[in-house]
Every structure is written in C-alpha cells, then in structure tokens.
Amino acid sequence: MSNARLPKDFLWGFATASYQIEGGAHEDGRGDSIWDTFCRIPGKIADGSNGEVACDSYHQYKQDVALLKQIGAKAYRFSISWSRVIPLGGRNDPVNEKGLQYYINLVDELRANGIEPMITLFHWDLPQALYDRYGGFLNKNEYVQDFVNFARVMFKAMGPKVKFWITYNEPWCSTILGYSIGQFAPGHTSDRKKHHIGDSSTEPWLAGHNILISHGAAVKVYREEFKAKDGGVIGITLNGDWALPWDADDPEDVEACQRKQEFSIAWYGDPIYKGDYPTSMRKQLGDRLPQFSEDERALVQGSNDFYGMNHYCTHYVKHKSGPAAPEDFTGNLEAGLLTDKNGTPIGPETQSPWLRPYPQGFRKLIKWISDRYDRPIIYVTENGTSIKGENDLPKEQILEDDFRCEFFKGYVTALAEAVTFDNVDCRGYMAWSLMDNFEWAEGYETRFGVTYVDYVGGQKRYPKKSAKGLAELFSSLCQ
Ligand code: PNW
C-alpha cells in the first residue's frame, strides 16, 4: 500500500485546548470555568493538580507559535476560554477586552508566521457563572442564547483572519463523562457515592440535545452574518473509536458494534446530517431522548460545512442480553473491552487506560463516517497517543519517543490509504498535541505532546523526536 498519498495542499498541524495549556487562570479578569471549580474538589484529578499554570501559554504563546513554525506545521487548532472573554458568560454580561485581546494576538502571531488558525469555541470549559445561574447545558432557552452570543463575539473579533471554526469539541465527552459517569466537570451522575447531583438516565440526553441546538444556532449566525464577508467554514468535532466484535462469530456482537457507533457518533452526527437521532437510540431510550421540534430540526440539519473527527483507538464490543439499564449510554453492550474472546489485546498499552493503538481502525472508521454521511469534507481535528510510563523517564529519554513516532506513522498512513483507496474526502489532520498538557482527570502524569513541557522548569518546551517525525511523514505523503 506504499502508493497511498494525501493531497498536496493537505492542511496538517497540531491541536491544543484552552484549559489544558493556558494557565493565567485568574489574570486580566478571567472568570472561573466549571473545570476550575471541578479541580478544587478533592479526589477528582489523579495528581490533585489543575490548570492554574498548565503550560503557561497565556504568557508563552509566542514560543508556541515559534515552535509550530520550527516543526513545519501549516495549521494550529486551539480553543477559546469562554470565561476569559466573557467572565460571567452570559449575553448581558460584559466582554473582557483584555481576555479577547489574547486570542487576537495569538491569531495575528500565527498569521504573521504563515500558520492557519483553527478555532474551537468550546472545549469543555463552560463559564462557572452560567452553571450557577441556570444549570448550563440543561437550560435550553438560556444556554442557546448565551452560546450564540459568545460565538458572535468571537466571529466578529476575528473577521476574515480565521477561516476554520469548530463549535464544539467532543460533545460525547461533555455529556457522558460530565453528566452520566461524573468523571469530568461538572461531575453529574446518578451514582450518589460520586456526586450529590445528577440523573444519568435523562441529563446526558437533554444536555446533548441542547448542545446540538446551540451548535445549529451558532452556525446560522455565522452563515447569515459573517460567512459571505469573512469566507470561513464551520463544523463540529465528534470523537469516535472504532469497534470490533468481542466474538467475531457471534452475530449479536457484530450487530452491537454498529449500535455502539450509533450511540456514540451518530447520536450527534445523524441529527446534523440526517435530521434525527438514530432509530436504535429512540428504541432504547424512548421519551428520555428529546424530540426535535420542526424549528430545531431546521437549525441542526445541514449545519456542518465539514466534519471534525477526533480519533484515538479501537475497542472490542460485546452485546448484553435483557433490557438495558436506565443509565446505559452504550446501546446495551459492554464497550471499551481491550481484549477479545481469545484474550488477544487490541494493541499495546499506553499511559491512558482506554487507549490502545490500532491504526487499521482509523481507516475503517473514517470510511464508516464518510459512507454514512454521503462523503462529507472531513478534517481530523485530533489524533495522538500517550506512552506507558513516559512521565517517569528522564527528559533525555522522553525526547526519544519512538512509540509516538510509530503511532503517527501507522495512523497517518492508514488515513492516506482511506483517502487514496476508499474515496474519503479528508483535507486536514491535527495531531494531539502540540505539547504535554493538563490531561483532565488524569492531571499531568499523562503526556500527549510532541513537545516535552518541563513543569518544574518554568514550563520550558523541548520538541520530542515525534515533532520532527510528523513533518517528514507529511512531506513524503503530500505530493
Ligand atoms: C480528547 N475517553 O479527550 C480531548 O479532546 C482532549 O482534550 C484530550 O486531551 C485528548 O482526547 C486525550 O485524552 C478524550 O475516556 C478524553 O475515551 C477521554 C476519552 C476520549 C477522548
């Protein structure tokens, strides 16, 4: 398969997210987000850390851009801390000009260095004030208007300088991890041992519905008020793992794989590309899954100029018999299995318990998405890996990250195969991540960067081998 190629003008680069890298958590008027408060609850973050300083990108953004340039990136995907721009979050609350200026400066610096900015409006850090005021995602009327207002503030501030907009990063994570399992902010779950508030049987579906509507409403504003003069495109980023049957000879496990994709990816993808939730979800969830009114459907259907795809790994899936539990969010199956019936592991271990590399799964999944949604334009907006025990190694060894180089080689080659042989229209790829950063509930112990960040040495950055590896990989494939 060595004749697999990517287009000459393929847009490749690196991704990060505001709370994971910026720090400057209380500077120049930034307000708290739900992640600032979540980190203060003992036991929620593995190493008890938070994003107060993180990679200090609030002060070192020029170094970040220099680094991108040095390693040959064509694009940089980053996200906006909503509570930095509007500290209290709402449509009647003041805009914090200093906070907004940070992002204008970053975009100007990127453009001055010939790097294409790609902005994610929301990467999980909801302003705490909106959660306190009306429950955040769960209040449709208030939330949708506030998100649209925030989006408009950003579209207006950036104008034609930004050509790529992503409304949301991985709403599956915000809703399932944040409103069902309680592992992510704001920590809601039915499990009273974990949290005092939440209903896993209803809240994730309601939160997801309201996110979809706010996405559609923000896209409408971009298309009506900005697109013609600013010339950008806008979409949403969905995460997705590939699924293999635990028992390849059991038709019920094979069927469960499809249902698993519907419950995780098509939950958001189908309303956007087809106008409603998948039948399998309606069948299992009944009235707990909200209905789209005609107005809502009109907002959501057709609201992607491109599909943003985050992908890391593949899991085995095993069907369950009997009725689904009320808090089930998987499609009544065992998801996330790391070995199959014969005990064969899906791939080598990494530092992240859920992540086992399996490059062929990337090719399969991107084709699955492309086929289901009639060949949308796809940008891969995240893909990368942690390495088992990386954090415990001396710096010199961390910089020789051959495991990560192999990961990228396998995955990017699989992508090139999908583009060359499977008729997939993928136009860009952002590796996760430009640098080691705050890995949410796993804290700083898990590193995903192609750049080592010295957290005790002033957050200084040292490119790893994989940083250079990507440039070589793309220069050989893009021709
Ligand atoms: C993505 N899981 O999150 C996020 O978009 C990034 O912010 C994050 O740092 C990166 O992947 C690496 O984890 C995920 O538990 C977090 O399956 C958790 C899961 C999947 C994606």
Side-chain angles (χ1 to χ4, degrees):
M1 292 273 193
S2 57
N3 49 346
R5 290 282 175 268
L6 289 168
K8 223 184 164 72
D9 58 353
F10 194 77
L11 194 68
W12 71 272
F14 298 89
T16 61
S18 48
Y19 193 68
Q20 296 182 271
I21 66 160
E22 286 177 2
H26 309 289
E27 262 170 87
D28 295 334
R30 179 183 176 276
D32 270 349
S33 78
I34 56 173
W35 271 93
D36 294 88
T37 46
F38 192 66
C39 290
R40 286 178 202 135
I41 307 173
K44 297 293 185 197
I45 311 300
D47 55 4
S49 64
N50 55 52
E52 300 269 305
V53 178
C55 306
D56 193 35
S57 286
Y58 190 62
H59 302 107
Q60 300 191 36
Y61 72 93
K62 287 192 179 170
Q63 282 94 310
D64 293 347
V65 177
L67 181 65
L68 285 158
K69 192 170 185 186
Q70 185 201 328
I71 61 187
K74 293 182 169 191
Y76 181 47
R77 172 182 179 235
F78 62 94
S79 83
I80 308 292
S81 162
W82 182 344
S83 60
R84 198 183 286 293
V85 176
I86 308 174
L88 296 173
R91 58 201 182 278
N92 299 312
D93 298 317
V95 169
N96 176 26
E97 294 302 334
K98 280 189 176 165
L100 183 56
Q101 193 60 46
Y102 169 70
Y103 296 107
I104 296 172
N105 293 345
L106 172 57
V107 164
D108 289 345
E109 186 75 10
L110 286 165
R111 294 185 63 85
N113 285 280
I115 299 163
E116 189 72 47
M118 182 180 269
I119 293 189
T120 312
L121 289 169
F122 186 92
H123 199 123
W124 307 350
D125 44 358
L126 181 83
Q128 178 65 34
L130 299 186
Y131 178 84
D132 294 339
R133 198 178 281 168
Y134 56 70
F137 293 150
L138 297 178
N139 186 322
K140 181 161 72 185
N141 291 337
E142 295 290 337
Y143 179 73
V144 172
Q145 294 186 66
D146 284 346
F147 181 72
V148 167
N149 172 71
F150 163 55
R152 188 185 271 112
V153 166
M154 294 311 306
F155 297 150
K156 204 167 157 187
M158 296 304 171
K161 294 189 233 180
V162 172
K163 304 293 184 200
F164 293 93
W165 292 96
I166 295 164
T167 52
Y168 284 89
N169 178 69
E170 304 191 344
W172 183 93
C173 287
S174 304
T175 47
I176 296 302
L177 306 181
Y179 284 85
S180 183
I181 306 183
Q183 182 190 337
F184 277 12
H188 283 214
T189 177
S190 288
D191 183 350
R192 287 289 163 269
K193 290 194 288 297
K194 275 198 198 157
H195 205 65
H196 63 280
I197 179 170
D199 180 346
S200 308
S201 73
T202 55
E203 288 185 358
W205 315 117
L206 189 60
H209 192 74
N210 297 343
I211 287 174
L212 275 168
I213 292 161
S214 66
H215 153 82
V219 170
K220 185 171 194 278
V221 164
Y222 189 72
R223 288 179 178 166
E224 289 180 358
E225 300 172 28
F226 299 92
K227 196 176 167 93
K229 65 183 172 63
D230 296 337
V233 287
I234 185 163
I236 196 168
T237 280
L238 306 180
N239 55 303
D241 314 318
W242 182 240
L244 290 173
W246 180 76
D247 178 354
D249 297 325
D250 185 341
E252 288 194 272
D253 281 359
V254 175
E255 205 189 317
C257 288
Q258 177 70 11
R259 203 164 59 247
K260 192 252 161 200
Q261 302 300 28
E262 291 177 350
F263 268 72
S264 43
I265 299 174
W267 170 17
Y268 292 100
D270 277 17
I272 292 172
Y273 287 96
K274 296 167 181 278
D276 207 351
Y277 294 116
T279 322
S280 57
M281 293 185 74
R282 178 66 64 202
K283 195 172 156 210
Q284 180 180 317
L285 302 170
D287 292 342
R288 287 186 285 131
L289 188 65
Q291 300 276 357
F292 288 101
S293 71
E294 281 315 308
D295 287 353
E296 290 173 353
R297 194 188 316 280
L299 272 180
V300 174
Q301 189 169 15
S303 56
N304 256 4
D305 292 335
F306 65 88
Y307 182 108
M309 174 184 182
N310 284 3
H311 175 75
Y312 289 87
C313 57
T314 295
H315 295 140
Y316 292 110
V317 160
K318 190 178 186 204
H319 77 280
K320 276 187 190 166
S321 307
E327 64 276 10
D328 175 75
F329 56 82
T330 63
N332 201 23
L333 47 90
E334 282 180 60
L337 302 175
L338 304 173
T339 50
D340 71 1
K341 191 186 175 191
N342 307 314
T344 314
I346 191 75
E349 277 187 87
T350 67
Q351 184 63 27
S352 315
W354 50 274
L355 202 175
R356 298 282 182 103
Y358 182 75
Q360 305 92 299
F362 189 16
R363 179 172 172 186
K364 297 275 191 216
L365 181 61
I366 198 167
K367 184 176 186 315
W368 186 91
I369 292 166
S370 182
D371 289 348
R372 190 172 180 100
Y373 300 130
D374 288 332
R375 203 169 181 264
I377 295 168
I378 299 175
Y379 285 89
V380 175
T381 44
E382 278 180 33
N383 174 241
T385 193
S386 58
I387 303 179
K388 183 112 189 124
E390 188 179 20
N391 192 46
D392 304 324
L393 298 172
K395 187 180 102 197
E396 298 65 46
Q397 285 181 38
I398 293 185
L399 298 185
E400 297 295 313
D401 59 340
D402 292 307
F403 183 88
R404 189 172 283 106
C405 293
E406 282 306 304
F407 177 96
F408 284 129
K409 196 172 165 208
Y411 273 76
V412 174
T413 303
L415 174 64
E417 287 168 0
V419 168
T420 310
F421 308 116
D422 301 341
N423 194 32
V424 167
D425 187 4
C426 178
R427 304 193 185 175
Y429 172 99
M430 304 299 132
W432 185 270
S433 176
L434 174 63
M435 55 195 154
D436 296 333
N437 56 48
F438 177 68
E439 179 54 13
W440 309 109
E442 292 177 42
Y444 293 96
E445 288 164 359
T446 303
R447 295 175 179 266
F448 267 89
V450 299
T451 304
Y452 172 76
V453 176
D454 183 359
Y455 297 118
V456 289
Q459 275 51 30
K460 212 167 164 315
R461 290 112 162 89
Y462 301 86
K464 303 177 192 174
K465 201 182 203 177
S466 58
K468 289 160 232 133
L470 273 168
E472 288 161 18
L473 201 52
F474 283 104
S475 78
S476 75
L477 287 168
C478 301
Q479 42 186 291

